[in-house]
Amino acid sequence: DIQLTQSPSFLSASVGDRVTITCRASQGISSYLAWYQQKPGKAPKLLIYAASTLQSGVPSRFSGSGSGTEFTLTISSLQPEDFATYYCQQLNSYPPTFGQGTKVEIK
Amino acid sequence: EVQLVESGGGLVQPGGSLRLSCAASGFTFSSYSMNWVRQAPGKGLEWVSYISSSSSTIYYADSVKGRFTISRDNAKNSLYLQMNSLRDEDTAVYYCAMRLVVPAANGAFDIWGQGTMVTVSS
């Protein structure tokens, strides 16, 4: 199975900060990577697919980059509604594994 | 409106069984593959199972293989997960999830249900 490792696991930031989360795959996955946002008690929400394509309706302050084994999710200016947990997921092969998550909290 | 609604969760003893359902609406259910994803309390997301639109292709996570069975009824617009020989570690919120608008080649899950809680405890 392909393993995904996110860093950091926890991030404390302020409104307006630029935030970057990294996801590393244990083997190459081309651009078959998605990013999700999850708030407490809610289902995950797709933010980005194909490593860098913004899902419809997602604010442009979110962006994704990378290919192969290293990927990043960037929030250009953190907003109050962005405090949540973020997961990467690889869709290169089954099982479609998730990273362990990165919790973004208010500083 | 596109919607997935899970049901069937509850409290069950170790070794017991439970059947989860996911009712789909707002799209042509028979044209799309479906997944179950779970999340243990305070933990991350874990993909559980996949079924193709015609049920011809099915995959399971190693952690549930041989104990869980995914199925669907396209006439009833419903997805199911039969869970047998349940263990404490199966305690989780179970979500049905699917790719609807995202290009098929990328497969990301753009539609999720609200989840149903399964608690395995004596």
Side-chain angles (χ1 to χ4, degrees):
Chain A
D1 296 359
I2 297 173
Q3 295 185 15
L4 298 179
T5 303
Q6 290 181 231
S7 59
S9 295
F10 176 85
L11 189 159
S12 181
S14 300
V15 172
D17 284 353
R18 181 181 181 88
V19 167
T20 299
I21 299 169
T22 297
C23 178
R24 290 186 173 88
S26 59
Q27 62 190 77
I29 58 171
S30 185
S31 296
Y32 293 105
L33 189 99
W35 289 97
Y36 299 87
Q37 176 193 67
Q38 187 180 33
K39 296 182 179 179
K42 300 294 186 182
K45 172 188 174 183
L46 178 65
L47 298 176
I48 286 169
Y49 63 92
S52 61
T53 302
L54 200 65
Q55 171 70 342
S56 175
V58 174
S60 59
R61 62 181 180 273
F62 291 93
S63 64
S65 65
S67 67
T69 61
E70 187 153 337
F71 303 84
T72 59
L73 171 69
T74 299
I75 308 172
S76 60
S77 178
L78 200 64
Q79 298 302 300
E81 60 267 31
D82 300 337
F83 291 95
T85 300
Y86 294 84
Y87 295 94
C88 58
Q89 181 197 27
Q90 67 83 17
L91 298 125
N92 182 74
S93 62
Y94 275 85
T97 44
F98 291 90
Q100 82 278 13
T102 295
K103 187 173 185 179
V104 178
E105 290 200 342
I106 302 173
K107 183 182 285 185
Chain B
E1 180 194 4
V2 172
Q3 201 169 11
L4 300 173
V5 179
E6 301 93 337
S7 61
L11 175 64
V12 60
Q13 292 187 338
S17 298
L18 210 56
R19 189 197 197 204
L20 305 183
S21 299
C22 173
S25 60
F27 64 99
T28 305
F29 179 73
S30 59
S31 296
Y32 295 90
S33 59
M34 300 293 295
N35 297 269
W36 287 100
V37 177
R38 69 183 180 183
Q39 185 170 37
K43 303 297 184 183
L45 301 167
E46 180 188 16
W47 171 84
V48 173
S49 185
Y50 162 94
I51 186 168
S52 63
S53 57
S54 64
S55 304
S56 60
T57 301
I58 286 174
Y59 300 117
Y60 296 101
D62 286 345
S63 58
V64 307
K65 202 172 293 182
R67 301 186 300 121
F68 289 12
T69 302
I70 191 172
S71 64
R72 63 191 295 161
D73 185 335
N74 287 341
K76 294 183 177 180
N77 291 337
S78 292
L79 173 71
Y80 305 103
L81 187 66
Q82 177 67 43
M83 304 186 295
N84 299 331
S85 304
L86 283 161
R87 306 167 179 167
D88 291 352
E89 55 265 35
D90 295 319
T91 294
V93 174
Y94 285 74
Y95 296 100
C96 55
M98 64 174 292
R99 175 203 68 78
L100 181 66
V101 175
V102 169
N106 294 290
F109 303 161
D110 53 353
I111 306 294
W112 295 68
Q114 86 288 350
T116 186
M117 183 70 204
V118 172
T119 303
V120 184
S121 175
S122 53

